[in-house]
Amino acid sequence: MMETARSLNGMVSAPHALAARAGRDVLADGGSAVEACVAVAATLAVVYPHMTGLGGDGFWLIREGDGRIHSVHGCGGAAGKADLALYNGLEAVPWRGPLAANTVAGTVSAWEAALESDAGTLPLERLLRDAIAYAESGVAVTKGGAEIAAAKGAELRIQPGAYADIFEPDGRALAQGDTLRQPALAQTLRALVRDGLGSFYQGPLAQSIAQDLATLGSPVSAEDLALHRATRPAPLHVGTSLGKLYNSAPPTQGIASLLILALADRLPRGAMDGFDHVHGLVEATKQAFLWRDRHCGDPALMQVSAQSLLDDCAALDAMAAAIDPAKALPWPQAPQWGDTCWFGAADSKGQVVSCIQSTYFEFGSGLVLPQSGLTWQNRGASFRLAEKGWNALRPYRKPFHTLNPALACFNDGRVLAYGTMGGEGQPQTQAALFSRYAVHGADLQEAINAPRWLLGRTWGDQSTTLKIEDGFAPELYAQLAEAGHDVERVGPITAMMGHAGAVLRQSDGSFQGASDPRSDGEAAGW
């Protein structure tokens, strides 16, 4: 099993080893943690295309060396033509295909915004160097990537665009160890270096993107691309007995991640991975999800303030008091979907970055643009085809996001960036990782290695049982079932539980990092 990485100069964690090393090498070349994360993000878009890409969205939390914490949201809104009339006769937005590709991709705008506010000095050519090389020369397909390509090939190869040409060049899904080459994506990355990251939204590259989207049947236009801007909302935060916790503001589910930990801070702790620990976090998850699904969405349309709830100790006390320490609240609720990539970095100047980006489903909408090699997201497939209400489709509206990067500033000076992919599993894995490390004193890598649980739906599954891996004390499974949880044992460690990672800057200035054995990643120190 993997062990915690340790270093004196900086640390990067990513769900693919090549991406982690790309970020580490940027740190070694004098780059900042923000610059390292841009290198990681670009490399992941090439080597982990089933999980993320330039055609998706991204969210950043950045802790500066002086303690200031700020965020960047690269979250694209619905196209101007994406209204109910476009989907006339349909009961829901399709999960794949042109009508699923109905929002602007915000990832590249987040890179640009993060770099604009950063003191780093490395040129963009250096930051994208490894990504360009891997796209041009090729990269070996991982076991996880091959399994996803094989499982999803039937629904992806029928979509218009270049999916089959790139990902099935021999008429079959690429197998583990096969070489994946993406020359068109390499040229797109070179264009970004030459013309600047803003060229993704205005200029010749943007025009070619819009042209391909129109040809393939997407409603996203050149005007939609040009109107897009990354935003910088204040991060959500909540105080706990251990320190201050941060996450991203709506339209993400960052509120749920913070609520779980704020409520758990008010509950009996018990032994690590014992009944009190697991039951308490599962029940806190239910309370958090109930609030999230009732109130959280496009911040311009929310009627209740997420931060106001986190500031209201009496309200948090009441939510915690509603949790029965011995019995499970009846479940399910409607699950959220989505898969993604978390990554993070910390540098010697005190900057710590937590990032997450995604194309939503594996390979997003399935539309791969022939001229640019971009895989376009299907985040807008989560919109409801309704006149009004929660997450209802309307032009320029921002869809609800499961993405949420986490950051913790401990009372003793430690700073932890952490997160995971996995839809509804993201807040739950964050809670397991954080509580094991911070509350129960587990080693950072041990906190990720240990078996996990998940209430609801994640990667490729729609059931709402309490899924739980093997490896817990035998009596725990029976205790949870007796308390009323619908326990489903899912075997040994599985990617169903997400790909978690963490980067820690110690109070003495040294670093630790951890990556998930369920992924293809590593923590790379310098």
Side-chain angles (χ1 to χ4, degrees), residues 6-32:
R6 304 174 191 276
S7 70
L8 297 178
N9 298 302
M11 183 67 66
V12 175
S13 178
H16 193 290
L18 294 178
R21 295 168 195 172
R24 175 202 60 196
D25 292 348
V26 164
L27 292 180
D29 284 351
S32 68

Side-chain angles (χ1 to χ4, degrees), residues 21-361:
R21 295 168 195 172
R24 175 202 60 196
D25 292 348
V26 164
L27 292 180
D29 284 351
S32 68
V34 163
E35 291 176 322
C37 281
V38 170
V40 171
T43 304
L44 283 171
V46 175
V47 304
Y48 232 43
H50 54 294
M51 288 286 102
T52 185
L54 279 64
D57 282 347
F59 298 83
W60 293 55
L61 276 182
I62 305 168
R63 189 265 192 187
E64 302 291 358
D66 61 6
R68 181 173 61 95
I69 295 175
H70 57 107
S71 74
V72 174
H73 283 197
C75 175
K81 297 177 183 177
D83 56 18
L84 295 182
L86 181 67
Y87 298 90
N88 185 38
L90 298 177
E91 294 183 358
V93 178
W95 294 113
R96 302 284 196 190
L99 293 182
N102 61 4
T103 60
V104 173
T107 286
V108 175
S109 71
W111 300 357
E112 183 178 38
L115 290 170
E116 283 177 349
S117 63
D118 188 55
T121 58
L122 293 183
L124 186 60
E125 181 179 17
R126 171 63 189 89
L127 303 185
L128 303 190
R129 182 193 71 188
D130 290 7
I132 291 170
Y134 291 131
E136 205 160 58
S137 301
V139 63
V141 176
T142 64
K143 180 176 182 291
E147 290 173 348
I148 289 295
K152 303 297 181 180
E155 63 193 69
L156 293 168
R157 69 176 66 98
I158 62 173
Q159 303 304 331
Y163 177 86
D165 293 338
I166 296 172
F167 298 106
E168 297 185 350
D170 297 323
R172 59 167 179 81
L174 292 173
Q176 182 181 2
D178 285 348
T179 300
L180 169 63
R181 292 184 175 87
Q182 301 172 81
L185 183 56
Q187 289 306 309
T188 294
L189 292 166
R190 290 188 185 280
L192 293 175
V193 169
R194 183 184 65 246
D195 301 329
L197 294 174
S199 65
F200 191 94
Y201 301 97
Q202 297 187 63
L205 174 59
Q207 289 297 323
S208 77
I209 291 171
Q211 183 182 62
D212 273 352
L213 286 169
T215 299
L216 299 177
S218 165
V220 176
S221 68
E223 181 182 9
D224 296 324
L225 293 172
L227 288 172
H228 173 77
R229 299 289 186 277
T231 59
R232 300 177 182 272
L236 297 180
H237 55 85
V238 68
T240 71
S241 59
L242 295 169
K244 204 165 188 179
L245 311 183
Y246 296 84
N247 214 300
S248 52
T252 82
Q253 64 172 338
I255 177 64
S257 295
L258 293 180
L259 272 178
I260 293 169
L261 292 174
L263 299 180
D265 199 45
R266 292 162 163 79
L267 300 176
R269 292 177 176 175
M272 186 175 87
D273 293 344
F275 176 80
D276 287 342
H277 178 208
V278 177
H279 171 79
L281 287 177
V282 172
E283 293 305 296
T285 296
K286 293 176 181 177
Q287 294 294 323
F289 282 4
L290 288 171
W291 194 96
R292 177 200 68 185
D293 294 346
R294 193 175 300 126
H295 301 294
C296 190
D298 187 329
L301 300 170
M302 286 178 62
Q303 302 298 310
V304 181
S305 165
Q307 187 57 55
S308 295
L309 173 63
L310 295 171
D311 291 338
D312 190 340
C313 290
L316 297 177
D317 290 344
M319 291 179 75
I323 294 174
D324 190 322
K327 292 292 184 183
L329 181 73
W331 207 248
Q333 297 290 317
Q336 301 296 332
W337 295 50
D339 302 304
T340 179
C341 279
W342 178 90
F343 49 98
D347 65 29
S348 59
K349 296 181 180 179
Q351 192 178 69
V352 181
V353 183
S354 184
C355 294
I356 196 161
Q357 60 184 42
S358 172
T359 52
Y360 199 28
F361 280 25

Side-chain angles (χ1 to χ4, degrees), residues 352-438:
V352 181
V353 183
S354 184
C355 294
I356 196 161
Q357 60 184 42
S358 172
T359 52
Y360 199 28
F361 280 25
E362 306 93 338
F363 295 103
S365 64
L367 265 64
V368 179
L369 311 191
Q371 295 182 73
S372 59
L374 298 172
T375 299
W376 209 262
Q377 66 182 355
N378 65 328
R379 180 62 59 176
S382 67
F383 280 124
R384 294 169 51 249
L385 296 183
E387 291 287 348
K388 58 182 180 178
W390 183 84
N391 212 34
L393 176 68
R394 63 178 65 178
Y396 310 114
R397 184 172 190 171
K398 293 187 176 181
F400 174 77
H401 266 274
T402 52
L403 306 185
N404 66 113
L407 196 70
C409 295
F410 293 96
N411 295 330
D412 62 6
R414 290 172 294 159
V415 181
L416 178 69
Y418 62 105
T420 182
M421 68 85 144
E424 294 234 303
Q426 289 183 42
Q428 301 178 65
T429 292
Q430 287 185 18
L433 189 167
F434 180 86
S435 62
R436 284 168 171 164
Y437 169 77

